[in-house]
Amino acid sequence: MKLSTKGRYGLRAMIDLAQYGGGEPVSLASIAARQNISENYLEQLIARLRKAGLVEGFRGAGGGYLLKRPAEEISVGDILRALEGSLSPVECPGLLGNGGCSGEDLCVAKYVWKKINESVNRTVDEMKLSDLAEESRRVREAKKDLQVHGIEEE
């Protein structure tokens, strides 16, 4: 399975919102600057995330975007499906059970594809946005500590 820039950049934007939201809307310009993502492209991603009910927008001087639910209730799977669609690495008509595959009665490979699909979906559904935001905070703090002590990263 290979994620597109929609999934990769959208996940980064959502982590940014989880970190910097704190009850106040976050502007697209600030997310774009911190994440090095084009503001125009970010608008497209946010539109998909809004449609999926993951973020809400606020207009006006203090406008921007906030998570619509707590970060603990948003999974990586929710985000990636909103941006990418199905996360199943293997599309097998035999898994649908509707006669879409001429060999589905005899094919045992479909059980392999089913296990792979289930594993990918379970993994991204278990990962919460709050966990990623916290890990990002730790990484930033560690980098700051290195810089304060004059230690260069390799």
Side-chain angles (χ1 to χ4, degrees):
M1 179 176 89
K2 188 170 183 171
L3 295 176
S4 71
T5 56
K6 287 184 293 200
R8 295 192 319 268
Y9 289 6
L11 182 59
R12 285 175 32 200
M14 289 291 284
I15 293 168
D16 191 285
L17 275 174
Q19 287 182 292
Y20 295 100
E24 296 292 322
V26 180
S27 73
L28 283 184
S30 65
I31 297 170
R34 280 190 295 269
Q35 298 301 322
N36 196 25
I37 301 171
S38 150
E39 199 169 335
N40 289 337
Y41 191 51
L42 193 53
E43 284 177 9
Q44 296 171 35
L45 300 177
I46 290 292
R48 287 175 180 249
L49 294 165
R50 271 183 64 196
K51 186 175 180 184
L54 298 175
V55 299
E56 58 184 325
F58 298 89
R59 296 185 185 272
Y65 293 88
L66 280 173
L67 299 177
K68 195 152 185 174
R69 301 190 319 249
E72 298 81 20
E73 295 177 14
I74 299 173
S75 73
V76 171
D78 295 333
I79 297 165
L80 295 178
R81 280 186 207 90
L83 297 164
E84 300 277 358
S86 171
L87 298 179
S88 297
V90 180
E91 297 294 332
C92 173
L95 293 176
L96 301 175
N98 62 1
C101 175
S102 60
E104 81 179 277
D105 291 340
L106 301 173
C107 179
V108 293
K110 69 182 176 190
Y111 298 111
V112 174
W113 312 143
K114 181 179 182 194
K115 289 285 257 183
I116 291 170
N117 290 347
E118 288 171 349
S119 179
V120 167
N121 281 285
R122 183 177 49 254
T123 299
V124 296
D125 287 338
E126 289 172 354
M127 298 173 71
K128 299 299 179 188
L129 182 57
S130 56
D131 298 331
L132 295 178
E134 184 55 37
E135 183 63 25
S136 182
R137 278 188 198 95
R138 278 196 291 272
V139 168
R140 272 197 341 269
E141 288 301 317
K143 185 173 181 172
K144 232 187 272 183
D145 287 346
L146 289 175
Q147 291 170 341
V148 166
H149 294 93
I151 301 170
E152 292 290 323
E153 281 190 285
E154 294 180 21

